[in-house]
Amino acid sequence: MIDPLFWLGLSILLVAVSLTAVLVAALPALHEIARAARSVEKLADTLRRELPPTLEAIRLTGMEISDLTDDINEGVNSATEIVKQVDRSLDSAKQQAKKVQVTTKSIFTGLKAAWKTFTRPSSSNSSSSSSNSSNDSPRRTNGRVSASQRMSLESRDYHNSPEITHSTDNLNNHHVTSPTHSQNLTRSNFGK
């Protein structure tokens, strides 16, 4: 039979050849792995140098954006207050313009009435009759009675009316406080 040493030598030779083939095939892969390791090392070094300043710049940018947001909010609030002040000023100006308009109308009406009174022809008959009847009734000119004279007439008629005296005595005696009854009495007296 064949010598066992031969088989042993042959198997060692085959193992050696196999290992050599594996090493030859693995050499390019090992070179690529070494190159990748160097690239990773360079990348880590670059990140170690560049990342902290970048992170600091990002943090500062965030703080600046926050400050700008606060400034914008303050500006918007300030603009809102200014708009409210302008609105209040416009309302105040409108009210003052209305007051001026009412005052102007009153002045013109007063001047117009004064001019009519001043330019009205006075007759000697009306003045003599008015002096004679000054105790009985207010002066009448051209069939008109002024507002103050009308109020005094109505007030005098109201106090001197027998219906009012009688009705107030009834109200005092019966303690009646009906608003419609007193309104009807007032209307009937002033409607004369």
Side-chain angles (χ1 to χ4, degrees):
M1 278 254 311
I2 304 180
D3 190 17
L5 286 176
F6 172 74
W7 288 113
L8 182 63
L10 183 64
S11 49
I12 290 176
L13 179 69
L14 287 175
V15 169
V17 168
S18 299
L19 284 176
T20 305
V22 168
L23 283 175
V24 168
L27 278 177
L30 291 174
H31 283 297
E32 292 299 321
I33 290 173
R35 189 179 298 146
R38 282 193 299 272
S39 297
V40 168
E41 185 180 348
K42 287 179 183 179
L43 179 63
D45 187 40
T46 303
L47 287 176
R48 189 172 39 251
R49 275 184 282 134
E50 298 294 330
L51 195 59
T54 304
L55 291 176
E56 183 68 21
I58 290 171
R59 187 178 67 82
L60 289 175
T61 303
M63 290 173 59
E64 289 174 0
I65 288 172
S66 176
D67 291 343
L68 287 174
T69 304
D70 291 342
D71 290 344
I72 289 171
N73 286 338
E74 289 175 8
V76 168
N77 290 338
S78 173
T80 303
E81 287 299 319
I82 290 171
V83 167
K84 287 179 181 177
Q85 288 176 355
V86 168
D87 191 33
R88 285 192 292 262
S89 299
L90 288 176
D91 289 342
S92 174
K94 285 179 184 177
Q95 290 174 354
Q96 289 176 355
K98 285 180 182 178
K99 287 180 183 178
V100 166
Q101 185 180 13
V102 168
T103 305
T104 305
K105 283 182 181 179
S106 299
I107 289 172
F108 281 128
T109 304
L111 289 175
K112 188 176 176 182
W115 181 255
K116 283 183 179 180
T117 304
F118 182 70
T119 59
R120 182 175 34 196
S122 62
S123 64
S124 60
N125 293 338
S126 65
S127 63
S128 64
S129 65
S130 67
S131 64
N132 292 335
S133 63
S134 62
N135 294 335
D136 295 339
S137 65
R139 187 180 91 187
R140 291 183 177 235
T141 306
N142 296 334
R144 291 189 178 175
V145 177
S146 70
S148 61
Q149 291 171 341
R150 189 177 318 125
M151 289 300 290
S152 66
L153 274 175
E154 290 173 353
S155 174
R156 190 179 67 206
D157 289 346
Y158 178 77
H159 290 296
N160 293 334
S161 173
E163 293 176 6
I164 295 296
T165 308
H166 179 67
S167 64
T168 54
D169 289 341
N170 287 341
L171 286 175
N172 289 336
N173 291 335
H174 298 293
H175 301 290
V176 176
T177 57
S178 169
T180 55
H181 180 66
S182 61
Q183 287 173 354
N184 289 337
L185 287 176
T186 305
R187 285 186 192 138
S188 67
N189 288 326
F190 283 109
K192 288 182 179 180

